Amino acid sequence: MAATPKLRPEDALLMVDVQRDFLPGGALAVPDGDRVVDALNAWVDDAVRSKALVVASQDWHPKDHVSFTGRGGPWPEHCVQGTPGAGLHPALSVPLDAVLVRKGMDVDRDAYSAFDGTGLAALFKDRGVRRVFVGGLAQDVCVRATVLDALRAGFETHLLVEATRAVDPSQGARALEEMQASGAVLENDRGLGAR
Ligand code: VGL
Ligand code: ZN
């Protein structure tokens, strides 16, 4: 990271679901999911220095959530409220004034986007956020849904590509194209391109 911060006070860094269950060894492991942590931590440093808002989301399901295979859903049981697997990766830097949001808490309805039922769009508008920078897990599931919602809510939305990994890499590649086609700016390294 260069000495001069890239982010600005009216930016938000949104770290999606960097939770133990999505990391190698976890219940719904994303290949190389742990690789997002160093990349995100560099962005957190930048956000703190530039006084940008930092947000971390957690997938936070009740037992017997509708998305679990036991109920006919697509996913193994993961991120059950209060379990170690639902915890954020211990090496992720989360500033003391970061905003934490939890989603997927309704037992009969899934919520992939960090904006779904969390009040995050209203919070961003209250705080004067104009640009949202998104990283985390998983690129083809909750990051995708979060980026598309951020765009729909009218934010200039940037995807931190190296700070995301996909459950299924071929779906990840499709999700990148879809996010870009929907208006997201894909950031391919830790610096921001000139614009
Ligand atoms: C996620 C699958 C199920 C995610 C959450 O955070 O990407 N993926 N629940
Ligand atoms: Zn989930």
Side-chain angles (χ1 to χ4, degrees), residues 22 28 59 61 65 67-68 75 78-79 103 110-112 142:
F22 295 126
L28 208 175
D59 207 36
H61 298 314
H65 189 251
S67 75
F68 299 165
W75 308 111
H78 64 280
C79 297
K103 64 185 175 61
D110 208 357
Y112 287 156
C142 290

Side-chain angles (χ1 to χ4, degrees), residues 16-19 22 28 30 57-61 65 67-68 74-76 78-79 103 110-113 136-146 165 167:
V16 175
D17 302 1
V18 186
Q19 292 167 271
F22 295 126
L28 208 175
V30 175
S57 69
Q58 281 174 293
D59 207 36
W60 196 252
H61 298 314
H65 189 251
S67 75
F68 299 165
W75 308 111
H78 64 280
C79 297
K103 64 185 175 61
D110 208 357
Y112 287 156
S113 162
L137 301 170
Q139 189 179 75
D140 47 342
V141 187
C142 290
V143 168
R144 169 186 174 276
T146 298
R165 291 293 186 284
V167 178

Side-chain angles (χ1 to χ4, degrees), residues 21 23 31 39 41 50-51 80 87 92 101 110 116 138 146 154 157 179:
D21 272 344
L23 301 165
N41 285 348
S50 60
K51 301 193 171 9
V80 173
L92 185 70
V101 297
D110 208 357
D116 190 344
T146 298
T157 306
M179 290 186 269

